[in-house]
Amino acid sequence: MSQIRTIKGTHDILPGETDRWQFLEKIIHDIGSMFGYQEIRTPIFEETKLFSRSVGEDTDIVSKEMYSWKDRDGTDLTLRPELTAPVVRSFIQHSLGTSAPVQRLYYIGPSFRRERPQKGRQRQFHQFGFEAFGSGNPEQDAEIIAIAWQILSELKLNESTALQLNSIGSKDCRMAYREALKEFIRPNLDQFSEISQKRFNTNPLRIMDTKAAHEKKILEGAPSISEFYSDEDTRHLESVQNFLSVMNIPFGFNPGLVRGLDYYTRTVFEFTSDLLGAQDALLGGGRYDNLVETLGGRYTPGIGFAAGMERFLMVMKGSGQKSTISKAFIYFVCSNEEILPTALFLSDGLRKAGFSVITDPLRRSMKAQMREANKLNARYALILGDTEVEQNTIQVKDLKVGDQVSISQSDLIHHFQHLTK
Ligand code: AMP
């Protein structure tokens, strides 16, 4: 009798390997709680239209890589090829947006794509990812990227990875760019492949993703999306870059980065690794301000990333040590937009020292932020106003005991190390 084996592109994770998986999962859980994110678990299969409507009909994923079938009652079902769409579906279905103005979620689990298997590319692979709903502000983009950076740092992978950043503008910007790009391509359209010609009508931006050398050559003089940014798009991008610099996160600006999925708006980013071969994308993400609405919910801006667990494990050396993240839960109350860089710098320092810190990406009043800190059961509130910034101090309020002290900003980490000893 012939032996039954795993299906092409799928792998057993054997006992000798599971400790490394558990180690990586632990880091993801720990960093998730350090930033105040909670885990969400959604089903492995969903209605097919969830992915065709969000990821996009003419993307590789939807057009040729999904495992889809008709259920006995005629419903079209699909093994999830990614998790953002399922998380958004769940967010809408359970009205998660009504229970808190910012929802911070993360996930870990298998995804399925019928790609040609090769090193770093499986048909069943595992992803982890983070999604934040509710804030369209650039500090939220910076926080999502900081989470990715923190995970890479914890795994000592930050030296071998590079962050590429781009903005693909808001919807109006992309509409105008789309037309300009079509005008540019039209005279040479017959020299493009069948697939690019199809994309010309459905999604011309994706033609910029082409790998074909002769198409790349024609596209060399193509207009750049940055020429079509609105003032707000430009400001948003500049703020994201500024906040990343405050947190010492190195990045490169790559105007060619468009990413394959249809739902992105403004910020898109990707971390690639020197230690991977041809499939060098370790983690990718972006802002998706219209996705909740596209899938039938109320307008809610969002941003997130997804990363491949197998690719992480390929580049991680050894089995790692125990993570040292502390649970002391701090809510950072920031009084106005001007002092955001100081707030981001200080909370980043606290997290690097192992403390769990939540910041408000909605720029709400200090009163509303204090209310939120209590609602989330934070143990401490850090209060930063203009006076504190002027004097290089910060107020530390113990929310359990109720007392409040003013300390020097340079003593902040030391103060918390002492408090939690
Ligand atoms: P994407 O949703 O395509 O942006 O993918 C996010 C991340 O998932 C990538 O950066 C990879 O690390 C990982 N990934 C995507 N497709 C595969 C695959 N077929 N096999 C293994 N990892 C993958």
Side-chain angles (χ1 to χ4, degrees):
M1 207 168 73
S2 69
Q3 200 189 355
I4 301 171
R5 302 178 64 88
T6 48
I7 290 160
K8 189 175 165 189
T10 72
H11 297 277
D12 293 317
I13 301 165
L14 298 171
E17 304 164 56
T18 41
D19 58 341
R20 297 182 78 232
W21 280 80
Q22 287 171 5
F23 172 71
L24 177 56
E25 286 160 8
K26 168 110 176 50
I27 300 257
I28 297 162
H29 291 303
D30 285 353
I31 300 222
S33 67
M34 177 187 255
F35 281 83
Y37 285 61
Q38 289 181 299
E39 191 186 2
I40 181 164
R41 302 185 189 195
T42 62
I44 302 285
F45 59 97
E46 299 269 358
E47 279 201 67
T48 302
K49 60 182 180 234
L50 172 63
F51 304 106
S52 48
R53 277 188 203 161
S54 56
V55 176
E57 290 280 5
D58 108 281
T59 55
D60 286 349
I61 294 179
V62 173
S63 64
K64 52 185 192 205
E65 293 171 0
M66 293 202 305
Y67 284 97
S68 302
W69 71 98
K70 222 175 239 320
D71 203 10
R72 289 182 192 198
D73 65 0
T75 320
D76 289 310
L77 301 177
T78 290
L79 291 182
R80 62 186 187 199
E82 59 106 56
L83 275 92
T84 301
V87 170
V88 172
R89 194 244 339 111
S90 182
F91 174 85
I92 299 168
Q93 182 176 338
H94 303 286
S95 306
L96 296 183
T98 57
S99 61
V102 182
Q103 278 289 333
R104 301 172 176 89
L105 305 171
Y106 73 93
Y107 59 79
I108 307 179
S111 292
F112 307 83
R113 295 182 195 172
R114 200 177 191 290
E115 296 183 272
R116 195 168 51 80
Q118 61 182 95
K119 187 167 170 261
R121 193 153 82 189
Q122 294 85 241
R123 291 182 169 176
Q124 171 169 343
F125 59 103
H126 296 75
Q127 286 186 320
F128 70 90
F130 283 73
E131 317 281 359
F133 296 93
S135 168
N137 288 327
E139 54 268 34
Q140 185 66 78
D141 307 39
E143 178 177 287
I144 281 285
I145 295 173
I147 294 173
W149 183 248
Q150 193 91 6
I151 293 173
L152 290 164
S153 306
E154 188 78 11
L155 296 168
K156 315 232 169 345
L157 293 173
N158 46 353
E159 301 261 299
S160 52
T161 48
L163 165 60
Q164 295 174 46
L165 181 75
N166 190 22
S167 168
I168 55 167
S170 48
K171 209 169 165 184
D172 291 345
C173 156
R174 268 205 321 289
M175 292 298 266
Y177 179 56
R178 198 186 140 106
E179 290 317 308
L181 198 57
K182 282 175 87 168
E183 278 315 301
F184 177 84
I185 293 172
R186 202 185 310 274
N188 295 311
L189 187 59
D190 55 350
Q191 293 175 45
F192 281 80
S193 66
E194 198 183 321
I195 177 92
S196 290
Q197 292 197 18
K198 199 174 142 221
R199 286 179 177 154
F200 182 80
N201 293 314
T202 52
N203 191 353
L205 255 75
R206 293 220 53 226
I207 301 182
M208 299 298 279
D209 254 347
T210 182
K211 301 279 179 289
H214 76 282
E215 296 190 2
K216 277 189 170 165
K217 183 115 197 67
I218 305 173
L219 292 170
E220 262 169 20
S224 154
I225 191 139
S226 58
E227 297 161 33
F228 299 85
Y229 288 166
S230 65
D231 291 349
E232 198 37 51
D233 290 335
T234 308
R235 255 200 309 276
H236 189 95
L237 177 60
E238 283 170 0
S239 295
V240 174
Q241 292 176 314
N242 179 26
F243 294 149
L244 292 180
S245 303
V246 162
M247 294 190 281
N248 280 320
I249 301 175
F251 63 90
F253 187 68
N254 176 2
L257 182 73
V258 292
R259 300 211 13 94
L261 286 66
D262 269 6
Y263 49 62
Y264 289 117
T265 47
R266 289 198 173 140
T267 310
V268 287
F269 60 94
E270 202 160 84
F271 281 90
T272 51
S273 169
D274 301 341
L275 308 173
L276 289 168
Q279 301 300 321
D280 67 350
L282 199 52
L283 180 156
R287 181 164 273 293
Y288 46 78
D289 288 348
N290 305 309
L291 184 57
V292 176
E293 216 173 15
T294 304
L295 290 175
R298 274 217 345 253
Y299 172 78
T300 312
I303 179 162
F305 71 75
M309 306 272 285
E310 283 83 357
R311 292 194 194 170
F312 262 76
L313 289 160
M314 276 166 68
V315 295
M316 275 164 56
K317 292 193 194 78
S319 60
Q321 340 62 338
K322 229 177 108 263
S323 154
T324 50
I325 292 161
S326 131
K327 293 266 187 258
F329 177 14
I330 302 162
Y331 194 99
F332 206 114
V333 178
C334 172
S335 72
N336 65 61
E337 203 181 318
E338 275 67 51
I339 58 179
L340 269 172
T342 312
L344 263 71
F345 174 76
L346 292 173
S347 40
D348 184 56
L350 279 166
R351 290 187 190 118
K352 285 187 176 131
F355 297 101
S356 163
V357 187
I358 288 191
T359 54
D360 175 47
L362 294 177
R363 305 183 180 182
R364 287 174 289 184
S365 68
M366 293 178 86
K367 211 165 140 200
Q369 292 181 57
M370 283 302 286
R371 219 180 296 125
E372 181 84 354
N374 282 310
K375 208 167 130 196
L376 292 173
N377 272 325
R379 177 72 168 81
Y380 300 97
L382 284 179
I383 304 157
L384 191 63
D386 287 330
T387 326
E388 284 78 18
V389 171
E390 257 165 47
Q391 299 170 347
N392 280 322
T393 58
I394 187 159
Q395 306 277 340
V396 182
K397 182 169 176 137
D398 185 326
L399 295 173
K400 202 161 150 198
V401 181
D403 62 3
Q404 185 165 327
V405 288
S406 172
I407 60 165
S408 153
Q409 287 174 16
S410 55
D411 286 342
L412 188 58
I413 292 170
H414 189 243
H415 183 80
F416 273 94
Q417 281 166 340
H418 185 75
L419 277 178
T420 54
K421 217 165 36 197

